[in-house]
Amino acid sequence: MRSEDVRRHVTTPLTSPAFAPTVPRFTDREYLNVVYRTDPEALRAVVPEPLRIDDPLVRFEVMKMGDVSGYGPYTEAGQAIPVGFEGERGEYLHAMYLDNFPATASGREVSAYPKVMGSPALRVDTGALVGTLDHGAQRVATATMGYKHHELDRAEAAAQITVPTFMLKTVPGYDGLPRVQELVRTRITDLTVKEAWTGPARLQLFQHVLAPLADLPVLEVVSASHILTDLTLAGVEPVHDYLKGALS
């Protein structure tokens, strides 16, 4: 294989990439969102500068992907933290667990999503929408919400999930030091909200050394939503270079 051919490949392994070379389109992406208040000191310990924290809130989400081009259906769960950056409000993606390896590899290699493998699920059980996350055989999160109790304004639902998203991209060098270390930004585009609901909710987080969601403890549930969408994820752009100490 010639050098110019090698340069055209951007995935590993070279000739059998772990994910499809496509921009995924999400059809029937279903959200369970539970926003809760947590310990502000715990938040400050995990949110990198120059992002700012105002209210000590966390959004626990479970997303059931009905169909995704290039990956197929899968489910994902994680934590997003409301933050500010240069006057813009957004969310910092703190943790993401999913049951699809191509989507995990693509999210980490192409973008900067903090994805690792896990076993999330979203289902309806006796009048409640139930979202769970397991790590191996151990339960680490259980969220419950009243199933379709009250309709949520679709514009409000769209505003909840289309805020800018910030992530930390780190690529290690062979000397053990970071070769790339950037704060990057992306957001959802081409969004259609098909259904949106709200209602009462509860959230339990359980201690696990390899899935430390409970390090951001639940002090109070603030709100919850259940949203069904079609959408596309935009590419990422760097907004801060930690190795240069300046904006990109």
Side-chain angles (χ1 to χ4, degrees), residues 1-152:
M1 184 180 292
R2 296 175 300 175
S3 295
E4 53 267 32
D5 296 325
V6 172
R7 288 193 294 268
R8 281 196 287 267
H9 292 264
V10 295
T11 59
T12 302
L14 182 65
T15 59
S16 57
F19 51 88
T22 182
V23 176
R25 173 66 177 170
F26 295 80
T27 303
D28 291 337
R29 176 165 166 156
E30 185 178 10
Y31 289 82
L32 168 59
N33 298 306
V34 179
V35 176
Y36 69 92
R37 196 173 308 280
T38 192
D39 178 2
E41 292 304 317
L43 277 187
R44 293 189 186 100
V46 299
V47 174
E49 294 180 335
L51 298 176
R52 293 183 299 98
I53 301 166
D54 292 327
D55 294 332
L57 300 176
V58 181
R59 182 170 63 87
F60 174 77
E61 62 180 4
V62 182
M63 297 174 288
K64 187 175 183 180
M65 320 299 183
D67 183 59
V68 188
S69 55
Y71 307 137
Y74 65 95
T75 307
E76 184 171 322
Q79 291 168 310
I81 300 169
V83 294
F85 177 75
E86 296 188 338
E88 183 177 49
R89 304 303 304 169
E91 290 184 329
Y92 171 67
L93 292 187
H94 174 56
M96 307 178 83
Y97 300 84
L98 55 162
D99 58 5
N100 181 297
F101 177 73
T104 301
S106 174
R108 291 173 63 165
E109 290 185 26
V110 177
S111 302
Y113 293 95
K115 297 189 175 189
V116 297
M117 297 296 291
S119 299
L122 184 62
R123 68 186 189 278
V124 179
D125 183 5
T126 319
L129 183 65
V130 180
T132 58
L133 173 62
D134 294 346
H135 190 285
Q138 304 302 312
R139 177 62 45 89
V140 293
T142 299
T144 56
M145 174 183 167
Y147 184 67
K148 297 188 177 182
H149 280 203
H150 310 287
E151 283 200 68
L152 178 65

